[in-house]
Amino acid sequence: MGGEGIGEADALTVLSLPQRDLWRLLDVTEGVRRSFKGDGVRLCSIVNAKSGLCSEDCSFCSQSRRSTADVRKYPLIEEEEMVRAARDAKSRGAREFSIVSSGFAMRSRAELETVGNAVERIRSEVGIETCVSLGTLSAGEVAYLLSRGLRSVHHNLETSRRFFPSMCTTHDYEEDVRAVRAAKEAGAWVCCGGIFGIGETDADRVELAMTLRELCVDSIPMNFLNPVPGTPVEGRNELTPFVCIKIIAMMRLCHPGREIIVCGGREVNLRDMQSFMFAAGASGTMAGNYLTTTGRPAEDDVRMIRDLGLTILPV
Ligand code: SF4
């Protein structure tokens, strides 16, 4: 396989494989991951820098305006707290640290500058790669953060263009696409992916993979629904470990040379098959807690990676 990856028809075939083909599939995807990404694993970590109170209505999100979930709600945290969280993340082995805020966009220049100050200090005092996920930033806002030492911008498309209106009605898919293009244009490393298990079909999953290819994103974070009570997706349960493995495999085969980072929902959805995510094609994972749910202890992830004979990429 060349660096281009498989096309739509083959991607759909991967998603329709029966369980008996698991080992054959992993044999292929493990080979592709090793040849393009080697044995290194990226560990990312995040801080929820502004929680809840979001103007948007994304169905899966416990911070959305539709959610009645019992989550903490607070405005943007202080710069000092961001730096402290980055220090903790580094001590747990993270290579990259992301400052994440709820909301469609940053509220004010003052908020952006608080993040810019924290990014600069995290680079110089902590020595870890920095990422932000702050909603729809303009190219100018991204350029400002890059000038303060930022490396990456995260902004998910979440799902296919077709399924998006069933998941979110408060903004348009194209606004998210524009934000991704703006981050690329400004010169950031762009981390953009989605969430699976929210009611989308296999065709939607493949459509997302193809859109990410068109946008030339650098890194693809993959989340699997953890249906939080109080959200519209409460009780939804359509993923199995094998389905998750096939989605990761499909993404790796569509994007042989990209980073594929398995993030939220891996514990509850992959269960005892968590370590299979690397053979399926993941080149990284998120360690520690997620935005509003807790992850497993970072030491467990470090041990899993070492037990597999893989190495954690240093900063
Ligand atoms: S996913 Fe982001 S934009 Fe959507 S409701 Fe949650 S915090 Fe708001």
Side-chain angles (χ1 to χ4, degrees), residues 54 56-58 60-61 63-64 102-104 158 171:
C54 186
E56 305 307 295
D57 69 351
C58 306
F60 60 86
C61 180
Q63 304 186 73
S64 89
S102 63
F104 182 62
E158 306 301 4
H171 69 273

Side-chain angles (χ1 to χ4, degrees), residues 203-269:
D204 292 312
R205 293 164 183 167
V206 171
E207 189 191 314
L208 173 64
M210 296 299 147
T211 305
L212 296 174
R213 186 188 288 174
E214 270 165 45
L215 291 169
C216 297
V217 303
D218 300 293
S219 175
I220 301 174
M222 301 182 67
N223 298 284
F224 297 95
L225 181 68
N226 182 0
V228 175
T231 60
V233 293
E234 175 176 357
R236 196 176 264 283
N237 177 23
E238 55 207 44
L239 295 173
T240 64
F242 182 53
V243 168
C244 298
I245 290 294
K246 286 193 291 185
I247 300 172
I248 298 167
M250 179 274 290
M251 204 57 88
R252 169 52 69 207
L253 297 176
C254 288
H255 297 272
R258 309 276 184 219
E259 297 299 339
I260 290 181
I261 316 289
V262 175
C263 302
R266 69 175 154 96
E267 292 89 347
V268 291
N269 287 292

Side-chain angles (χ1 to χ4, degrees), residues 71-261:
V71 294
R72 289 177 64 207
K73 298 179 177 69
Y74 50 84
L76 194 68
I77 60 176
E78 301 286 327
E79 173 191 324
E80 194 57 48
E81 219 175 314
M82 297 178 195
V83 176
R84 197 176 324 121
R87 251 188 215 107
D88 288 351
K90 189 177 181 190
S91 73
R92 291 194 303 267
R95 180 177 209 273
E96 189 138 9
F97 176 73
S98 188
I99 298 169
V100 183
S101 74
S102 63
F104 182 62
M106 283 267 90
R107 285 234 171 87
S108 64
R109 182 73 192 180
E111 283 195 338
L112 196 67
E113 283 174 8
T114 299
V115 175
N117 294 343
V119 163
E120 196 166 284
R121 286 186 55 200
I122 291 166
R123 281 302 300 272
S124 62
E125 294 174 25
V126 183
I128 185 170
E129 293 290 2
T130 51
C131 174
V132 295
S133 182
L134 305 172
T136 48
L137 295 172
S138 67
E141 288 169 328
V142 174
Y144 162 74
L145 292 170
L146 292 176
S147 77
R148 304 296 304 268
L150 183 75
R151 174 177 183 265
S152 318
V153 170
H154 166 266
H155 189 77
N156 277 348
L157 294 182
E158 306 301 4
T159 188
S160 69
R161 190 175 265 107
R162 187 201 71 85
F163 187 69
F164 188 85
S166 309
M167 182 217 92
C168 175
T169 64
T170 43
H171 69 273
D172 191 64
Y173 199 74
E174 297 314 318
E175 295 178 79
D176 288 326
V177 169
R178 271 200 295 279
V180 173
R181 287 195 204 281
K184 285 291 291 184
E185 191 187 307
W189 169 278
V190 175
C191 183
C192 173
I195 183 163
F196 303 93
I198 56 174
E200 80 287 355
T201 63
D202 280 352
D204 292 312
R205 293 164 183 167
V206 171
E207 189 191 314
L208 173 64
M210 296 299 147
T211 305
L212 296 174
R213 186 188 288 174
E214 270 165 45
L215 291 169
C216 297
V217 303
D218 300 293
S219 175
I220 301 174
M222 301 182 67
N223 298 284
F224 297 95
L225 181 68
N226 182 0
V228 175
T231 60
V233 293
E234 175 176 357
R236 196 176 264 283
N237 177 23
E238 55 207 44
L239 295 173
T240 64
F242 182 53
V243 168
C244 298
I245 290 294
K246 286 193 291 185
I247 300 172
I248 298 167
M250 179 274 290
M251 204 57 88
R252 169 52 69 207
L253 297 176
C254 288
H255 297 272
R258 309 276 184 219
E259 297 299 339
I260 290 181
I261 316 289

Side-chain angles (χ1 to χ4, degrees), residues 256-299:
R258 309 276 184 219
E259 297 299 339
I260 290 181
I261 316 289
V262 175
C263 302
R266 69 175 154 96
E267 292 89 347
V268 291
N269 287 292
L270 283 165
R271 302 195 282 272
D272 283 354
M273 287 172 76
Q274 264 193 88
S275 61
F276 288 31
M277 66 183 169
F278 298 108
S283 54
T285 189
M286 189 176 284
N289 292 335
Y290 305 108
L291 288 174
T292 59
T293 54
T294 43
R296 65 180 192 165
E299 310 82 73

Side-chain angles (χ1 to χ4, degrees), residues 51-70:
S51 182
L53 310 166
C54 186
S55 57
E56 305 307 295
D57 69 351
C58 306
S59 63
F60 60 86
C61 180
S62 55
Q63 304 186 73
S64 89
R65 68 191 216 178
R66 276 202 265 179
S67 163
T68 57
D70 183 20

